[in-house]
Amino acid sequence: MGIVSANHHVVSGLMYHLKLKASSGGQINLYEAKVWVKPWLNFKSLEEFKRVENSFTSADLGAHIGKEYSIE
């Protein structure tokens, strides 16, 4: 599994919007997650996690296969 894209915006803390890829049995699926973080309270909450309907095979990914991204 890997992070395809990530961004965040300020709420009462930070809300991270993540797109993730995961493979199973040769099928690669995309997922979207929202994570709410309040560092001063040591609080982390997974607010939403869903599969993106337009999943695809590894042939559809082209050069993106194996590329890793990090969030700082």
Side-chain angles (χ1 to χ4, degrees), residues 2-21:
I3 297 173
V4 175
S5 68
N7 60 57
H8 70 281
H9 67 272
V10 178
V11 291
S12 176
L14 295 171
M15 182 70 72
Y16 290 94
H17 297 265
L18 308 170
K19 286 193 179 180
L20 310 162
K21 68 176 179 178

Side-chain angles (χ1 to χ4, degrees), residues 40-59:
W40 65 94
L41 295 176
N42 197 28
F43 171 86
K44 294 177 187 157
S45 174
L46 179 62
E47 296 295 302
E48 185 177 339
F49 187 83
K50 64 182 179 182
R51 182 171 173 248
V52 177
E53 289 301 316
N54 293 334
S55 295
F56 41 81
T57 66
S58 59

Side-chain angles (χ1 to χ4, degrees), residues 1 5 8 10 13 15 24 34-36 40 44 68-70:
M1 185 158 92
S5 68
H8 70 281
V10 178
M15 182 70 72
S24 176
K34 290 182 184 178
V35 181
W36 185 15
W40 65 94
K44 294 177 187 157
E68 296 296 325
Y69 299 88
S70 64

